Amino acid sequence: MSERFAKDLDEIDDLEDLFEHAPCGYVSAGVDGRIIKVNATFAGWLRLDKADLIGRRFQDLLNIVGKIYYETHFAPLLRMQGFFHEVALDLVGADGTKLPVLVNAVERRDEAGNMRFTRITIFNASDRRQYERDLLEARRAAETANANLLELNRTLEDRVAEAVEARVRSEEALHQAQKMEAIGQLTGGIAHDFNNMLAIILSALNLLERRLAKGEDVAPLLAAARESAHRAASLVQRLLAFSRRQPLAPEPLCPNDMVRDMSELLRHTLGEAVSLEAVLAGGLWHVHADRNLLENAIVNLAVNARDAMPAGGRLTIETANCHLDDAYAAEHAIKAGQYVMVAVTDTGTGMTEETMQKAFDPFFTTKEVGKGTGLGLSQVFGFVKQSNGHIKIYSELGHGTTIKLYLPRFYGTASAPAPKASSDVTLPSGREVILLVDDDERMLSLTASMLRDLGYGVVETARGAEALDKLQAHPEIELLFTDVVMPQMNGPELAKEALRRRPGLRVLFTSGYTRNAAVHNGILNPAMNLLQKPATVEQLARKVRAALDDELDPHRHR
Amino acid sequence: MNARQRNNVNVIGAGSKTIVFAHGFGCDQNMWRFVWPAFADGYRIVLFDHVGCGNSDLQAYDDGKYATLDGYAEDVVEICRALGVSGGVFVGHSVSAMIGVLAARRAADLFDDIVMVCPSPRYIDDAGYTGGFAEAQIHELLDFLDANHMGWSQTLAPVIMGRPDRPELAEELTNSFCSTDPEIAKKFARVTFLSDNRADLSAVTARCLVLQCSEDVIAPQCVGEYVHRQLPNSEFVLLQATGHCPNLSAPEETVAAMKAFLGGGNS
Ligand SMILES: Nc1ncnc2c1ncn2[C@@H]1O[C@H](COP(=O)(O)OP(=O)(O)O)[C@@H](O)[C@H]1O
Ligand SMILES: [Mg+2]
């Protein structure tokens, strides 16, 4: 044996060894798909002899899922694209054990393109499949955890929102309760004034009746009654506005405006024995606070002051811009800087040292049961702290008390001032001529004088038939203002005939019925303009103006 | 969405008689790439993808409609109607052989001839019937698809769908021939392997050819013979080709058998 031949043999042996014992399985399949060669590694995995594998097809060695997918997916793929890569399949060994493998296959062709054989390379994928399973498991766990976390977050947000809402609700309830308590205290003082106003109105009406009977001038009496009624109405309005439940929200406010707006209410609250004085600083800065709460605070301080002056005295509300310096701020744990001060001073009993100590405590009161709750100052304190402000009591027994609120200056442009109370607003009026019809003579003349007061010309009558004559006689009439329910000819009948004669005429009905009742009883058509009795001057003025301006008036057919 | 777009219909040639080729579970119209050219001379060739396969409109997949093979048959009828097919030839591979049977039941005028390549009216064994699979084996398949949702798309899907986790390989490995939406493929497998259309065979009026492969694990010879027996008017040809896809592995033999059956193909 030549040396060279021996060397070649060695090399062949070496290659053969590499093929047989490579760390992967090798399979060659012929054109018909049958195995023609297989290495020892692969046969060993299946616990079969190499000879047993010759002539079988690769797919026959797979589990059922592998068989199906091999036939339906991978064999077609191999045929069409000439190879497939990294297909995960399970081999089934002679003893039934499964071996996860990764399979690559490639078709080998000769130069003419004819298929020679298919080379299939198989890698043991037990570890990798285990990693994959672990990975999938971990991913599923992560997804579950994530879903749980999301769920938790979602409910957490909800829960926090719920708690906050509950807190806000109970705070609002507390504010409201406290306000109602203050109202209770207010109305005591107000009832007296209210009675006075009603007395003025009643006596004016009495006089009116008599003078009307004698045909005398009643204008001054009407004016007095009207003025008194207006004041009563505005007082009620303020009380209602104050007692209304409102959401809490800070806004830029001018304390001077607020004190001015409240002065009427306060004056009535304090009663005649207490004089009220407001000392309002010029050029006062704005503050950023909840209007409702600041109002409430001022009322509370005023009520406390009144209670401290049972025999009467002087109440002063003062405002000022001021600067709290570093030393003061540090001492009271607030920020140094610019503040707006609102001080309420009385000339009452004053407080003992002990009362001063406890005055801000909730439920601390020195008043008898039914008169005090001990919640007023604690609310004021809460409001001031919440607004980053400061509150201070100065009191001298037997001389009086000053309570000072400091609210931080608001550096911004304030929004438009709140609309003024309606009594200050000029009422809509006009100079047109109105035909007024009402079978109730007292109502007729009352309404007529209100309309005249507003500047209108009035032609009045208590009967429908007469109204038609007047319409004829006064071409300047622009509005028919009639009661709905009248004997003989009712309002709608009158309007119909009036419109027939004067198509451009505007019509306004008035009735003690509610609109719904009038419509329901078939007296009124739902589109008609109705002023409900009893009406305030303001409602009357608006409705008449609207009818004349042709807003909402379906009776105007030009 | 019209049927032609929905099913990615391709029409080749202008013969007076039409051959409609329908692919089976696991591939798309590329299945017929070695077969249809042999008929392009004399026939109008119609190729299409079932909804969920190949380049069909995946949006058109409807769980309810495609819960039975009848949904797929409905599509075949719509495609044929859109193309004015009448008295044509239907060639269905694997599960599509039965889809053709159902389409013919819906519209008997569509096809004079039906070629069934490796058909099976029922895969699961039954009393007095051998389908080739024990019930437990089919459930092993379906469980595998269900349980290994991720595993399936990580192991089988790389070849079928490309590898979303390794986009650099996707280019090279993406299978441009038999793309399948993995979720829809799972449902298609379920419908296919749980189907039972044995009762529909006796109603087929068209002339049929049953092409049977040797050693087909999906549709064994006894199943092909059963189909042949149940059809009122059929021929049976046992091919030398092995496996389940003679249209790919032995196109010449497949074409020859079809031509012999169709009588030269020109009409
Ligand atoms: N202006 C004041 N003058 C004297 N004592 C006052 C004054 N304001 C408050 N107090 C004292 O502080 C207590 C607590 O006041 P407050 O919290 O408003 O509760 P209430 O008014 O219901 O008693 C009062 O009961 C009173 O003793
Ligand atoms: Mg109080």
Side-chain angles (χ1 to χ4, degrees):
Chain A
M1 204 180 345
S2 81
E3 215 173 277
R4 173 169 179 163
F5 184 60
K7 204 176 156 224
D8 282 353
L9 271 185
D10 278 354
E11 214 160 88
I12 288 167
D13 270 355
D14 192 33
L15 284 174
E16 195 66 31
D17 186 67
L18 180 62
F19 173 79
E20 290 294 351
H21 302 291
C24 59
Y26 285 119
V27 171
S28 304
V31 179
D32 60 359
R34 296 187 192 283
I35 295 173
I36 46 182
K37 195 173 176 188
V38 57
N39 73 348
T41 304
F42 186 69
W45 284 343
L46 294 172
R47 298 188 174 51
L48 286 170
D49 284 341
K50 284 165 60 178
D52 294 336
L53 288 164
I54 305 302
R56 299 182 67 179
R57 298 179 308 167
F58 181 73
Q59 58 267 43
D60 297 337
L61 309 172
L62 301 171
N63 71 342
I64 189 71
V65 178
K67 280 191 175 78
I68 292 172
Y69 270 88
Y70 192 92
E71 290 289 4
T72 56
H73 289 80
F74 306 125
L77 202 58
L78 180 61
R79 180 71 187 89
M80 285 189 283
Q81 106 187 334
F83 66 91
F84 64 70
H85 275 318
E86 293 198 5
V87 170
L89 295 165
D90 285 348
L91 292 173
V92 180
D95 55 356
T97 54
K98 264 191 208 169
L99 179 73
V101 290
L102 273 183
V103 181
N104 290 340
V106 57
E107 287 181 345
R108 296 286 184 223
R109 290 173 184 275
D110 62 23
E111 272 152 26
N114 296 314
M115 235 252 284
R116 286 169 56 216
F117 62 92
T118 303
R119 154 89 67 242
I120 304 173
T121 316
I122 305 106
F123 299 93
N124 183 334
S126 306
D127 289 350
R128 176 167 160 162
R129 205 66 70 77
Q130 188 57 48
Y131 299 149
E132 271 180 13
R133 258 197 300 275
D134 292 351
L135 187 74
L136 288 175
E137 196 44 55
R139 199 178 290 183
R140 252 194 295 272
E143 275 165 9
T144 313
N146 195 35
N148 289 345
L149 200 65
L150 279 176
E151 174 69 9
L152 186 69
N153 269 340
R154 200 181 53 71
T155 53
L156 205 64
E157 270 169 30
D158 285 355
R159 274 187 263 163
V160 169
E162 241 167 59
V164 167
E165 202 186 304
R167 168 103 195 264
V168 167
R169 246 182 292 138
S170 63
E171 250 172 43
E172 275 176 359
L174 192 62
H175 286 309
Q176 187 64 13
Q178 212 284 322
K179 222 154 68 171
M180 292 324 283
E181 187 227 332
I183 298 258
Q185 307 223 11
L186 285 174
T187 45
I190 284 170
H192 170 74
D193 291 294
F194 211 79
N195 266 335
N196 284 346
M197 293 173 200
L198 285 177
I200 294 170
I201 298 169
L202 284 172
S203 54
L205 290 175
N206 278 333
L207 276 171
L208 214 64
E209 221 166 24
R210 276 187 277 150
R211 289 199 191 172
L212 274 171
K214 288 193 237 159
E216 288 174 6
D217 177 22
V218 294
L221 285 174
L222 277 173
R226 193 184 313 119
E227 141 97 58
S228 201
H230 273 154
R231 285 185 40 210
S234 95
L235 193 58
V236 168
Q237 217 163 33
R238 280 168 196 284
L239 258 182
L240 289 176
F242 181 69
S243 65
R244 200 173 308 133
R245 188 184 286 269
Q246 281 155 349
L248 305 179
E251 57 181 308
L253 295 172
C254 174
N256 280 356
D257 290 349
M258 290 192 53
V259 172
R260 260 194 291 267
D261 280 353
M262 294 174 71
S263 61
E264 171 142 348
L265 184 71
L266 294 175
R267 202 161 270 138
H268 290 291
T269 303
L270 298 171
E272 282 163 350
V274 176
S275 66
L276 171 68
E277 195 181 348
V279 183
L280 305 179
L284 190 72
W285 299 321
H286 282 75
V287 297
H288 195 243
D290 180 85
R291 169 184 297 275
N292 215 17
L293 291 182
L294 180 53
E295 234 171 50
N296 196 9
I298 294 171
V299 167
N300 266 298
L301 297 180
V303 167
N304 281 349
R306 181 199 66 188
D307 291 348
M309 303 183 286
R314 224 173 31 247
L315 181 109
T316 311
I317 301 181
E318 193 185 342
T319 61
N321 293 334
C322 64
H323 183 90
L324 298 184
D325 62 27
D326 290 341
Y328 186 91
E331 188 188 331
H332 295 93
I334 52 169
K335 263 201 197 143
Q338 296 184 314
Y339 288 79
V340 174
M341 183 204 71
V342 178
V344 177
T345 303
D346 62 62
T347 55
T349 57
M351 288 184 241
T352 62
E353 191 58 38
E354 198 199 342
T355 301
M356 278 214 305
Q357 292 284 316
K358 294 186 179 164
F360 294 128
D361 293 354
F363 305 108
F364 172 79
T365 179
T366 57
K367 297 169 192 174
E368 59 188 83
V369 178
K371 289 249 163 107
T373 60
L375 286 173
L377 286 183
S378 84
Q379 288 269 310
V380 175
F381 183 85
F383 156 70
V384 170
K385 286 291 150 201
Q386 208 177 313
S387 307
N388 297 316
H390 177 55
I391 184 166
K392 184 94 181 121
I393 302 179
Y394 303 89
S395 187
E396 245 176 276
L397 214 51
H399 287 92
T401 303
T402 297
I403 297 188
K404 293 184 175 179
L405 311 183
Y406 296 90
L407 296 172
R409 175 183 181 181
F410 173 70
Y411 294 89
T413 44
S415 54
K420 296 247 184 168
S422 57
S423 60
D424 300 341
V425 172
T426 47
L427 295 170
S429 57
R431 320 220 126 263
E432 290 92 337
V433 176
I434 298 169
L435 174 56
L436 182 65
V437 190
D438 197 320
D439 62 320
D440 179 335
E441 305 256 0
R442 273 188 302 180
M443 199 62 214
L444 182 69
S445 68
L446 197 65
T447 310
S449 40
M450 284 201 279
L451 286 172
R452 287 198 181 99
D453 250 32
L454 290 167
Y456 296 105
V458 181
V459 178
E460 58 201 280
T461 169
R463 274 174 300 281
E466 215 173 287
L468 290 171
D469 294 344
K470 301 226 167 184
L471 186 66
Q472 211 72 12
H474 296 273
E476 70 274 22
I477 290 172
E478 291 196 43
L479 172 71
L480 168 63
F481 182 14
T482 175
D483 193 20
V484 170
V485 184
M486 295 183 295
Q488 281 128 33
M489 184 183 277
N490 74 18
E493 286 164 354
L494 167 61
K496 199 174 165 198
E497 180 55 23
L499 278 167
R500 201 186 58 76
R501 299 185 185 190
R502 185 87 71 76
L505 190 69
R506 276 145 269 187
V507 177
L508 175 61
F509 294 101
T510 181
S511 174
Y513 282 98
T514 63
R515 165 177 286 279
N516 287 340
V519 171
H520 185 76
N521 293 338
I523 302 166
L524 206 64
N525 148 348
M528 291 176 179
N529 235 342
L530 180 74
L531 174 68
Q532 204 158 301
K533 290 184 197 172
T536 63
V537 183
E538 190 189 334
Q539 288 165 334
L540 172 78
R542 287 191 196 289
K543 206 77 182 191
V544 166
R545 195 60 256 165
L548 280 164
D549 292 343
D550 203 13
E551 293 167 18
L552 306 165
D553 193 350
H555 282 280
R556 197 171 179 203
H557 316 286
R558 284 214 176 123
Chain B
M1 162 79 31
N2 66 41
R4 292 189 68 162
Q5 286 170 310
R6 181 188 60 205
N7 288 94
N8 183 31
V9 174
N10 283 297
V11 180
I12 302 137
S16 59
K17 204 172 174 81
T18 302
I19 299 192
V20 178
F21 287 97
H23 70 86
F25 169 67
C27 200
D28 58 23
Q29 58 185 271
N30 278 298
M31 266 283 182
W32 301 108
R33 62 212 317 260
F34 304 132
V35 173
W36 68 260
F39 296 89
D41 273 351
Y43 290 92
R44 177 167 68 144
I45 312 288
V46 174
L47 298 163
F48 73 95
D49 297 331
H50 285 304
V51 169
C53 307
N55 290 318
S56 66
D57 176 21
L58 297 185
Q59 301 301 315
Y61 189 82
D62 178 295
D63 280 333
K65 177 177 175 183
Y66 298 108
T68 66
L69 293 181
D70 222 35
Y72 292 94
E74 193 184 320
D75 288 355
V76 170
V77 173
E78 276 179 27
I79 293 165
C80 291
R81 289 278 182 248
L83 298 172
V85 176
S86 174
V89 180
F90 182 86
V91 183
H93 174 232
S94 190
V95 69
S96 275
M98 289 308 127
I99 291 172
V101 165
L102 295 172
R105 287 207 64 172
R106 285 174 162 259
D109 63 302
L110 292 183
F111 310 118
D112 287 348
D113 306 285
I114 298 179
V115 177
M116 303 185 181
V117 184
C118 307
S120 173
R122 178 183 163 109
Y123 297 85
I124 301 175
D125 298 338
D126 193 14
Y129 172 83
T130 305
F133 293 92
E135 186 151 9
Q137 287 179 305
I138 293 299
H139 283 116
E140 187 186 336
L141 167 71
L142 300 177
D143 287 350
F144 171 82
L145 295 179
D146 282 343
N148 290 299
H149 164 215
M150 294 280 294
W152 193 82
S153 53
Q154 280 198 343
T155 58
L156 295 167
V159 182
I160 300 164
M161 287 298 288
R163 299 191 51 150
D165 55 330
R166 291 171 71 184
E168 75 282 1
L169 287 183
E171 273 307 306
E172 177 191 339
L173 293 184
T174 293
N175 166 13
S176 56
F177 300 108
C178 295
S179 51
T180 308
D181 178 85
E183 279 307 308
I184 298 178
K186 266 163 56 170
K187 294 173 186 165
F188 195 18
R190 178 173 290 277
V191 175
T192 298
F193 290 101
L194 294 179
S195 65
D196 184 351
N197 296 99
R198 289 175 295 174
D200 296 300
L201 296 172
S202 59
V204 177
T205 53
R207 211 166 62 91
C208 296
L209 170 65
V210 177
L211 283 183
Q212 176 67 49
C213 279
S214 314
E215 295 179 66
D216 183 351
V217 284
I218 310 259
Q221 188 169 333
C222 59
V223 172
E225 285 165 356
Y226 174 89
V227 172
H228 171 54
R229 274 201 310 279
Q230 298 297 312
L231 289 168
N233 183 5
S234 70
E235 289 177 23
F236 180 87
V237 173
L238 179 62
L239 299 171
Q240 303 240 293
T242 61
H244 189 58
C245 301
N247 39 356
L248 285 172
S249 65
E252 298 85 358
E253 192 186 10
T254 306
V255 167
M258 285 173 62
K259 286 202 161 161
F261 170 70
L262 295 172
N266 291 301
S267 53

